[in-house]
Amino acid sequence: MCGIVGYVGDNEATQFLLDGLAKLEYRGYDSAGIAVGENGTIRVEKSVGRLSALRDKIAGNEPHGHIGIGHTRWATHGRPSDLNAHPHTDCSGDFAVVHNGIIENYLSLKEELIEKGHQFRSETDTEVVAHLLEEVYEGDFEAAVREVLRRIEGSYSLVFMSRRDPDTLICTKQDNPLVIGLGDGENFIASDIPAIINRTRRTYILNDGELAVVKKDSVWITNRSGEPVTKKVFEVKWNAEAAEKGGYEHFMLKEIYEQPKAVRATISPRMAKDGRSVAMDDLGWSKEFLSSIHKIDIVACGTAYHAGLVAKYYIEKLVRIPVECDIASEYRYRDPIVDEHTMIIVFSQSGETSDTLAALKEAKRRGAKSLAITNVVGSSIARESDQVIYTWAGPEIAVASTKAYTTQLILAFMLSLYMAQILETQTEARIAELCSALQRLPGQVGETIEDVEPIKTFAKKYGFNEDVFYIGRSLDYDVSLEGALKLKEVSYIHAEAYAAGELKHGTLALIVEGVPVIAIATQKSVYEKTLSNIKEVKARDAVVIGIAAEGDNELEKYVDHVIKVPVTDELLIPVLAVVPLQLIAYYAAITRGCDVDKPRNLAKSVTVE
Ligand code: F6R
């Protein structure tokens, strides 16, 4: 995790570095630092805490210079502290480096460098890179960086600066993202595009193993062997405001409200003109190809994993291909049974989650066909996968994922329909019916966020409870898992989701008077069963908030409060039912005064194991 930036050009480096880091705080925010070339030296300023702590520290005494690098950190090796914050320097102060990732062989390198007399100041893995650079430097900056890269193992994006080459930054990447922004008389480096779109829309997206020598009016890119690489300029199409809060108090709320638009943008380009079938022909799948797939493995983390569970239900129900859904950090180590008849589908908002990327590589190594569902164009997962489909959710900045989840559900559903069309596992009439439900969905998502007053009232009333339980069956259970995760991560309330039928096998012991239970009961086939489970918790004096579809006049007889969502095909209800759960989490966090967009201990993009 961590965000990194670099600047070289005619303007003040500090300005860009601080503004750029502010846009990357979603990647980590436990400490921040910058290094700026000032009067023939490299001046380093760093501070534990948010970027604002660094701003306060240097206020009135900002470094002045035209070249610099910066970092916002999410600690892996060494606790958050001033000393462990990046940039890191060598003994002489001639070199500075910022790093996102993990240097796996840092301990052996550190021992070797200590023996040679290097003095280390931090507990980080990154500091070895600065000392190693000092050790191997023989007058040629680029050659020394290449030598460092030959010696280090692990994942990284790195930006180097040298006091002896005061007009040059060198950057490179392996398994972590890095973009170069092309300006006029200036160039920028960043982990992600939001850091640079206020300055330029013209970018180069670096691939693994590529190294760029960046000066104010040139960018020279070579591959691992030093051969020149010709890169196409990638023109960023987002508008700058899309990455800003746009009047909402928090990104999370803004992103919840963006869901109708995000869902529409994800559906429309993939709907056939007559609206009766799905057009995902870019995938180029044939009946022969899909018939050769005997099993699908869906792999993801966190919220994306919860979307994967719904995808499993869709594919099995509509296409009848067996699906396993796994957490990426488990999958990659459990020796999965994968061969050329397996397809792996990975879900990832960021496209950078390290475990998901590793699981994808592992499945490919074993012969699987691969497909990625991601939100970030050109991300590592998008590039690693054989094929990719994008959720057109726009940038998701809040750590808690909302619009990425709903759009992932949409793509899971459309992909299942597309496969069903090819394999003829559903009738044309049923597919047309589901497509028509799909097209009503953006408006219906809008209806779920029209009146949030009752949700604010629950949040105020129950926001100080220590435990909340979520129950449901079938797709409702999958949605409960996501509802509980949202509440945990933003409000710090202990929340557990249980398959409603599983309660009596242990968890019912925790249900006592006044404990809030959120019961999702939208699935007709298991409705009566869920109702029995609701009666069980009511009999133990729980306070029950039910989530039901409009027209259900039964549930309110058994629960304390009901939230209704519009009627749609029950396969699609998860897209609607999750929205009140997102809002409950948001308003509970507000009630408790939590930092909604930056929950403690978390970061948006988990690029370490
Ligand atoms: C929770 C959340 C995380 C992510 C998980 C995977 O709100 O956002 O659980 O879903 O870290 O991230 P991506 O989707 O970027 O692979």
Side-chain angles (χ1 to χ4, degrees), residues 84-134:
N84 287 334
H86 301 214
H88 289 287
T89 49
D90 64 320
C91 300
S92 64
D94 279 358
F95 301 104
V97 60
V98 285
H99 169 219
N100 168 208
I102 290 181
I103 308 299
E104 284 166 3
N105 59 340
Y106 85 100
L107 274 178
S108 56
L109 287 172
K110 191 168 175 174
E111 274 168 23
E112 182 189 318
L113 289 160
I114 288 174
E115 255 177 40
K116 292 192 165 136
H118 290 262
Q119 286 182 353
F120 281 77
R121 290 168 290 256
S122 78
E123 303 154 289
T124 65
D125 51 337
T126 306
E127 196 182 341
V128 296
V129 177
H131 290 281
L132 189 56
L133 184 59
E134 177 183 29

Short mmCIF file of all heavy atoms in Angstrom, two decimals, residues 84-134:
data_model
loop_
_atom_site.label_atom_id
_atom_site.label_comp_id
_atom_site.label_asym_id
_atom_site.label_seq_id
_atom_site.Cartn_x
_atom_site.Cartn_y
_atom_site.Cartn_z
N ASN A 84 10.21 6.08 10.29
CA ASN A 84 9.82 5.07 9.30
C ASN A 84 9.12 5.66 8.08
O ASN A 84 8.95 4.98 7.06
CB ASN A 84 8.92 4.01 9.94
CG ASN A 84 9.71 3.09 10.87
OD1 ASN A 84 10.91 2.91 10.68
ND2 ASN A 84 9.06 2.54 11.87
N ALA A 85 8.70 6.92 8.19
CA ALA A 85 8.04 7.56 7.03
C ALA A 85 9.05 7.68 5.89
O ALA A 85 10.26 7.78 6.11
CB ALA A 85 7.53 8.94 7.44
N HIS A 86 8.55 7.65 4.67
CA HIS A 86 9.40 7.86 3.49
C HIS A 86 9.42 9.36 3.17
O HIS A 86 8.52 10.05 3.63
CB HIS A 86 8.82 7.13 2.26
CG HIS A 86 8.67 5.67 2.41
ND1 HIS A 86 8.84 4.79 1.36
CD2 HIS A 86 8.35 4.89 3.48
CE1 HIS A 86 8.61 3.55 1.77
NE2 HIS A 86 8.31 3.59 3.05
N PRO A 87 10.31 9.88 2.37
CA PRO A 87 11.39 9.21 1.66
C PRO A 87 12.50 8.73 2.61
O PRO A 87 12.68 9.28 3.69
CB PRO A 87 11.93 10.32 0.75
CG PRO A 87 10.83 11.32 0.65
CD PRO A 87 10.10 11.25 1.94
N HIS A 88 13.21 7.69 2.11
CA HIS A 88 14.38 7.21 2.84
C HIS A 88 15.63 7.62 2.08
O HIS A 88 15.62 7.70 0.84
CB HIS A 88 14.30 5.70 3.02
CG HIS A 88 13.23 5.34 4.02
ND1 HIS A 88 13.38 5.55 5.37
CD2 HIS A 88 11.98 4.84 3.85
CE1 HIS A 88 12.28 5.19 5.99
NE2 HIS A 88 11.41 4.76 5.09
N THR A 89 16.69 7.85 2.85
CA THR A 89 17.94 8.32 2.23
C THR A 89 19.08 7.38 2.60
O THR A 89 18.95 6.58 3.54
CB THR A 89 18.28 9.75 2.73
OG1 THR A 89 18.18 9.75 4.15
CG2 THR A 89 17.34 10.78 2.15
N ASP A 90 20.19 7.51 1.88
CA ASP A 90 21.39 6.72 2.19
C ASP A 90 22.19 7.44 3.28
O ASP A 90 21.73 8.45 3.81
CB ASP A 90 22.21 6.54 0.91
CG ASP A 90 22.72 7.88 0.42
OD1 ASP A 90 21.96 8.86 0.49
OD2 ASP A 90 23.89 7.97 0.00
N CYS A 91 23.40 6.93 3.58
CA CYS A 91 24.19 7.55 4.65
C CYS A 91 24.61 8.98 4.29
O CYS A 91 24.61 9.88 5.12
CB CYS A 91 25.46 6.74 4.92
SG CYS A 91 25.12 5.05 5.40
N SER A 92 24.97 9.18 3.01
CA SER A 92 25.52 10.47 2.62
C SER A 92 24.45 11.53 2.36
O SER A 92 24.76 12.71 2.27
CB SER A 92 26.33 10.29 1.32
OG SER A 92 25.44 9.88 0.28
N GLY A 93 23.20 11.09 2.22
CA GLY A 93 22.13 12.04 1.88
C GLY A 93 22.15 12.39 0.39
O GLY A 93 21.50 13.33 -0.05
N ASP A 94 22.90 11.62 -0.40
CA ASP A 94 22.97 11.88 -1.85
C ASP A 94 21.75 11.32 -2.59
O ASP A 94 21.43 11.76 -3.70
CB ASP A 94 24.22 11.21 -2.44
CG ASP A 94 25.45 12.05 -2.20
OD1 ASP A 94 25.32 13.14 -1.63
OD2 ASP A 94 26.55 11.60 -2.59
N PHE A 95 21.12 10.30 -2.02
CA PHE A 95 20.01 9.64 -2.71
C PHE A 95 18.78 9.60 -1.81
O PHE A 95 18.89 9.45 -0.60
CB PHE A 95 20.38 8.19 -3.06
CG PHE A 95 21.59 8.08 -3.94
CD1 PHE A 95 22.81 7.68 -3.40
CD2 PHE A 95 21.53 8.42 -5.28
CE1 PHE A 95 23.94 7.59 -4.20
CE2 PHE A 95 22.66 8.33 -6.09
CZ PHE A 95 23.87 7.92 -5.55
N ALA A 96 17.62 9.72 -2.45
CA ALA A 96 16.37 9.56 -1.71
C ALA A 96 15.45 8.68 -2.53
O ALA A 96 15.52 8.67 -3.77
CB ALA A 96 15.71 10.92 -1.46
N VAL A 97 14.61 7.92 -1.83
CA VAL A 97 13.76 6.98 -2.53
C VAL A 97 12.39 6.90 -1.84
O VAL A 97 12.30 7.01 -0.62
CB VAL A 97 14.45 5.58 -2.61
CG1 VAL A 97 14.73 5.02 -1.23
CG2 VAL A 97 13.63 4.59 -3.39
N VAL A 98 11.35 6.76 -2.66
CA VAL A 98 10.02 6.43 -2.12
C VAL A 98 9.58 5.12 -2.74
O VAL A 98 9.92 4.81 -3.89
CB VAL A 98 8.97 7.53 -2.40
CG1 VAL A 98 9.18 8.73 -1.49
CG2 VAL A 98 8.93 7.95 -3.86
N HIS A 99 8.80 4.35 -1.96
CA HIS A 99 8.52 2.97 -2.35
C HIS A 99 7.10 2.59 -1.96
O HIS A 99 6.64 2.92 -0.88
CB HIS A 99 9.55 2.07 -1.61
CG HIS A 99 9.27 0.60 -1.66
ND1 HIS A 99 9.49 -0.23 -0.59
CD2 HIS A 99 8.82 -0.19 -2.65
CE1 HIS A 99 9.18 -1.46 -0.91
NE2 HIS A 99 8.77 -1.47 -2.16
N ASN A 100 6.43 1.89 -2.84
CA ASN A 100 5.15 1.25 -2.54
C ASN A 100 5.32 -0.24 -2.80
O ASN A 100 5.64 -0.62 -3.93
CB ASN A 100 4.08 1.86 -3.47
CG ASN A 100 2.77 1.09 -3.48
OD1 ASN A 100 2.05 1.10 -4.46
ND2 ASN A 100 2.45 0.41 -2.42
N GLY A 101 5.17 -1.07 -1.75
CA GLY A 101 5.34 -2.52 -1.95
C GLY A 101 6.15 -3.11 -0.82
O GLY A 101 6.25 -2.54 0.26
N ILE A 102 6.74 -4.26 -1.07
CA ILE A 102 7.55 -4.92 -0.04
C ILE A 102 8.83 -5.48 -0.67
O ILE A 102 8.76 -6.18 -1.69
CB ILE A 102 6.78 -6.09 0.62
CG1 ILE A 102 5.63 -5.54 1.48
CG2 ILE A 102 7.69 -6.94 1.49
CD1 ILE A 102 4.81 -6.59 2.18
N ILE A 103 9.98 -5.15 -0.06
CA ILE A 103 11.25 -5.75 -0.50
C ILE A 103 11.43 -7.02 0.33
O ILE A 103 11.70 -6.96 1.54
CB ILE A 103 12.44 -4.78 -0.28
CG1 ILE A 103 12.17 -3.40 -0.90
CG2 ILE A 103 13.74 -5.39 -0.81
CD1 ILE A 103 11.96 -3.38 -2.39
N GLU A 104 11.24 -8.18 -0.31
CA GLU A 104 11.18 -9.42 0.47
C GLU A 104 12.54 -9.83 1.02
O GLU A 104 12.62 -10.44 2.08
CB GLU A 104 10.58 -10.54 -0.39
CG GLU A 104 9.07 -10.35 -0.48
CD GLU A 104 8.42 -11.19 -1.55
OE1 GLU A 104 9.12 -11.98 -2.21
OE2 GLU A 104 7.20 -11.03 -1.74
N ASN A 105 13.62 -9.52 0.29
CA ASN A 105 14.95 -9.95 0.77
C ASN A 105 15.67 -8.82 1.52
O ASN A 105 16.89 -8.78 1.56
CB ASN A 105 15.80 -10.46 -0.39
CG ASN A 105 16.01 -9.41 -1.46
OD1 ASN A 105 15.24 -8.46 -1.55
ND2 ASN A 105 17.03 -9.58 -2.28
N TYR A 106 14.90 -7.93 2.14
CA TYR A 106 15.55 -6.76 2.75
C TYR A 106 16.43 -7.12 3.94
O TYR A 106 17.46 -6.49 4.16
CB TYR A 106 14.53 -5.68 3.12
CG TYR A 106 13.86 -5.85 4.46
CD1 TYR A 106 14.27 -5.11 5.57
CD2 TYR A 106 12.81 -6.75 4.62
CE1 TYR A 106 13.66 -5.26 6.80
CE2 TYR A 106 12.20 -6.90 5.85
CZ TYR A 106 12.63 -6.16 6.94
OH TYR A 106 12.03 -6.31 8.16
N LEU A 107 16.05 -8.19 4.68
CA LEU A 107 16.84 -8.50 5.88
C LEU A 107 18.26 -8.91 5.53
O LEU A 107 19.24 -8.43 6.11
CB LEU A 107 16.16 -9.60 6.69
CG LEU A 107 15.09 -9.11 7.66
CD1 LEU A 107 14.43 -10.27 8.37
CD2 LEU A 107 15.69 -8.12 8.67
N SER A 108 18.40 -9.80 4.51
CA SER A 108 19.76 -10.24 4.14
C SER A 108 20.54 -9.06 3.55
O SER A 108 21.73 -8.88 3.83
CB SER A 108 19.71 -11.42 3.18
OG SER A 108 18.95 -11.07 2.06
N LEU A 109 19.85 -8.23 2.76
CA LEU A 109 20.56 -7.06 2.19
C LEU A 109 20.99 -6.12 3.30
O LEU A 109 22.10 -5.57 3.28
CB LEU A 109 19.63 -6.32 1.22
CG LEU A 109 19.35 -6.99 -0.12
CD1 LEU A 109 18.27 -6.24 -0.89
CD2 LEU A 109 20.62 -7.07 -0.96
N LYS A 110 20.12 -5.94 4.29
CA LYS A 110 20.43 -5.01 5.39
C LYS A 110 21.66 -5.49 6.15
O LYS A 110 22.58 -4.71 6.42
CB LYS A 110 19.21 -4.93 6.31
CG LYS A 110 19.27 -3.83 7.34
CD LYS A 110 17.91 -3.64 8.01
CE LYS A 110 18.02 -2.61 9.12
NZ LYS A 110 16.74 -2.29 9.73
N GLU A 111 21.69 -6.81 6.45
CA GLU A 111 22.86 -7.35 7.17
C GLU A 111 24.14 -7.09 6.38
O GLU A 111 25.16 -6.63 6.91
CB GLU A 111 22.71 -8.86 7.34
CG GLU A 111 21.91 -9.22 8.58
CD GLU A 111 21.54 -10.69 8.58
OE1 GLU A 111 22.21 -11.51 7.91
OE2 GLU A 111 20.52 -11.01 9.23
N GLU A 112 24.06 -7.37 5.08
CA GLU A 112 25.24 -7.20 4.21
C GLU A 112 25.69 -5.72 4.21
O GLU A 112 26.88 -5.42 4.34
CB GLU A 112 24.82 -7.62 2.80
CG GLU A 112 25.89 -7.58 1.76
CD GLU A 112 25.26 -7.82 0.36
OE1 GLU A 112 24.38 -8.70 0.22
OE2 GLU A 112 25.67 -7.11 -0.58
N LEU A 113 24.71 -4.81 4.13
CA LEU A 113 25.06 -3.39 4.07
C LEU A 113 25.58 -2.88 5.41
O LEU A 113 26.50 -2.05 5.46
CB LEU A 113 23.83 -2.58 3.61
CG LEU A 113 23.46 -2.78 2.14
CD1 LEU A 113 22.02 -2.38 1.85
CD2 LEU A 113 24.41 -1.99 1.22
N ILE A 114 25.03 -3.41 6.51
CA ILE A 114 25.52 -3.00 7.84
C ILE A 114 26.98 -3.43 7.99
O ILE A 114 27.83 -2.68 8.47
CB ILE A 114 24.63 -3.59 8.96
CG1 ILE A 114 23.28 -2.85 8.96
CG2 ILE A 114 25.30 -3.49 10.32
CD1 ILE A 114 22.23 -3.39 9.91
N GLU A 115 27.27 -4.64 7.50
CA GLU A 115 28.67 -5.12 7.56
C GLU A 115 29.61 -4.21 6.79
O GLU A 115 30.76 -4.01 7.15
CB GLU A 115 28.76 -6.53 6.97
CG GLU A 115 28.92 -7.56 8.05
CD GLU A 115 28.93 -8.96 7.49
OE1 GLU A 115 29.56 -9.16 6.42
OE2 GLU A 115 28.31 -9.83 8.11
N LYS A 116 29.08 -3.62 5.72
CA LYS A 116 29.91 -2.72 4.92
C LYS A 116 29.95 -1.31 5.52
O LYS A 116 30.51 -0.40 4.92
CB LYS A 116 29.38 -2.66 3.49
CG LYS A 116 29.58 -3.97 2.77
CD LYS A 116 29.33 -3.85 1.30
CE LYS A 116 29.89 -5.07 0.60
NZ LYS A 116 29.00 -5.61 -0.41
N GLY A 117 29.28 -1.12 6.66
CA GLY A 117 29.39 0.15 7.37
C GLY A 117 28.20 1.08 7.21
O GLY A 117 28.21 2.20 7.72
N HIS A 118 27.16 0.66 6.52
CA HIS A 118 26.00 1.55 6.37
C HIS A 118 25.24 1.65 7.68
O HIS A 118 25.11 0.66 8.40
CB HIS A 118 25.08 1.01 5.26
CG HIS A 118 25.67 1.13 3.90
ND1 HIS A 118 25.35 2.17 3.06
CD2 HIS A 118 26.57 0.37 3.25
CE1 HIS A 118 26.04 2.03 1.93
NE2 HIS A 118 26.79 0.93 2.02
N GLN A 119 24.75 2.84 7.94
CA GLN A 119 24.00 3.04 9.18
C GLN A 119 22.53 3.26 8.88
O GLN A 119 22.18 4.21 8.15
CB GLN A 119 24.58 4.23 9.93
CG GLN A 119 25.90 3.83 10.54
CD GLN A 119 26.53 4.92 11.35
OE1 GLN A 119 26.06 6.05 11.37
NE2 GLN A 119 27.62 4.57 12.00
N PHE A 120 21.71 2.40 9.47
CA PHE A 120 20.27 2.46 9.20
C PHE A 120 19.56 3.25 10.29
O PHE A 120 19.92 3.18 11.46
CB PHE A 120 19.71 1.04 9.12
CG PHE A 120 19.98 0.37 7.79
CD1 PHE A 120 21.24 -0.14 7.50
CD2 PHE A 120 18.99 0.30 6.83
CE1 PHE A 120 21.50 -0.73 6.27
CE2 PHE A 120 19.24 -0.29 5.60
CZ PHE A 120 20.50 -0.82 5.32
N ARG A 121 18.54 3.99 9.88
CA ARG A 121 17.81 4.80 10.84
C ARG A 121 16.39 4.28 11.09
O ARG A 121 15.79 4.57 12.09
CB ARG A 121 17.72 6.25 10.34
CG ARG A 121 19.05 6.97 10.36
CD ARG A 121 18.96 8.27 9.60
NE ARG A 121 18.83 8.03 8.18
CZ ARG A 121 19.83 8.18 7.30
NH1 ARG A 121 21.00 8.59 7.70
NH2 ARG A 121 19.63 7.94 6.01
N SER A 122 15.85 3.52 10.11
CA SER A 122 14.44 3.12 10.23
C SER A 122 14.32 1.60 10.36
O SER A 122 15.29 0.87 10.19
CB SER A 122 13.67 3.59 9.00
OG SER A 122 13.92 2.71 7.92
N GLU A 123 13.09 1.15 10.61
CA GLU A 123 12.83 -0.30 10.65
C GLU A 123 12.26 -0.78 9.31
O GLU A 123 11.78 -1.90 9.22
CB GLU A 123 11.77 -0.60 11.71
CG GLU A 123 12.10 -0.13 13.10
CD GLU A 123 10.82 0.12 13.91
OE1 GLU A 123 10.10 1.09 13.62
OE2 GLU A 123 10.54 -0.67 14.81
N THR A 124 12.29 0.05 8.29
CA THR A 124 11.58 -0.30 7.05
C THR A 124 12.41 -1.19 6.14
O THR A 124 13.64 -1.24 6.24
CB THR A 124 11.24 0.97 6.25
OG1 THR A 124 12.48 1.57 5.84
CG2 THR A 124 10.44 1.96 7.06
N ASP A 125 11.70 -1.84 5.25
CA ASP A 125 12.38 -2.61 4.19
C ASP A 125 12.95 -1.65 3.14
O ASP A 125 13.96 -1.92 2.51
CB ASP A 125 11.40 -3.59 3.54
CG ASP A 125 10.09 -2.93 3.11
OD1 ASP A 125 9.73 -1.87 3.66
OD2 ASP A 125 9.43 -3.46 2.20
N THR A 126 12.31 -0.50 3.00
CA THR A 126 12.67 0.43 1.92
C THR A 126 14.05 1.04 2.07
O THR A 126 14.75 1.28 1.08
CB THR A 126 11.63 1.57 1.86
OG1 THR A 126 10.34 0.98 1.75
CG2 THR A 126 11.88 2.50 0.70
N GLU A 127 14.46 1.26 3.33
CA GLU A 127 15.72 1.97 3.53
C GLU A 127 16.89 1.23 2.88
O GLU A 127 17.86 1.86 2.43
CB GLU A 127 15.98 2.21 5.04
CG GLU A 127 17.06 3.28 5.25
CD GLU A 127 17.39 3.52 6.71
OE1 GLU A 127 16.59 3.15 7.60
OE2 GLU A 127 18.49 4.07 6.96
N VAL A 128 16.79 -0.11 2.79
CA VAL A 128 17.91 -0.85 2.15
C VAL A 128 18.12 -0.38 0.71
O VAL A 128 19.25 -0.41 0.20
CB VAL A 128 17.73 -2.39 2.14
CG1 VAL A 128 17.72 -2.98 3.52
CG2 VAL A 128 16.55 -2.82 1.34
N VAL A 129 17.04 0.04 0.08
CA VAL A 129 17.15 0.43 -1.34
C VAL A 129 18.06 1.66 -1.47
O VAL A 129 18.93 1.73 -2.35
CB VAL A 129 15.75 0.70 -1.94
CG1 VAL A 129 15.85 1.19 -3.37
CG2 VAL A 129 14.89 -0.55 -1.86
N ALA A 130 17.88 2.62 -0.55
CA ALA A 130 18.69 3.84 -0.60
C ALA A 130 20.16 3.51 -0.34
O ALA A 130 21.06 3.99 -1.06
CB ALA A 130 18.17 4.83 0.43
N HIS A 131 20.41 2.66 0.66
CA HIS A 131 21.81 2.33 0.98
C HIS A 131 22.45 1.48 -0.12
O HIS A 131 23.62 1.63 -0.44
CB HIS A 131 21.88 1.59 2.32
CG HIS A 131 21.56 2.48 3.49
ND1 HIS A 131 22.46 3.37 4.03
CD2 HIS A 131 20.42 2.64 4.19
CE1 HIS A 131 21.89 4.02 5.03
NE2 HIS A 131 20.64 3.60 5.14
N LEU A 132 21.65 0.59 -0.68
CA LEU A 132 22.18 -0.24 -1.77
C LEU A 132 22.57 0.63 -2.96
O LEU A 132 23.61 0.41 -3.61
CB LEU A 132 21.11 -1.27 -2.16
CG LEU A 132 21.50 -2.38 -3.11
CD1 LEU A 132 22.71 -3.16 -2.59
CD2 LEU A 132 20.33 -3.35 -3.31
N LEU A 133 21.74 1.63 -3.22
CA LEU A 133 22.05 2.55 -4.33
C LEU A 133 23.38 3.26 -4.07
O LEU A 133 24.24 3.35 -4.95
CB LEU A 133 20.89 3.55 -4.47
CG LEU A 133 20.96 4.53 -5.63
CD1 LEU A 133 21.01 3.78 -6.97
CD2 LEU A 133 19.73 5.45 -5.63
N GLU A 134 23.54 3.70 -2.84
CA GLU A 134 24.80 4.37 -2.46
C GLU A 134 25.98 3.39 -2.66
O GLU A 134 27.03 3.77 -3.19
CB GLU A 134 24.71 4.78 -0.99
CG GLU A 134 25.98 5.42 -0.44
CD GLU A 134 25.84 5.74 1.06
OE1 GLU A 134 25.09 5.05 1.78
OE2 GLU A 134 26.50 6.70 1.49
#
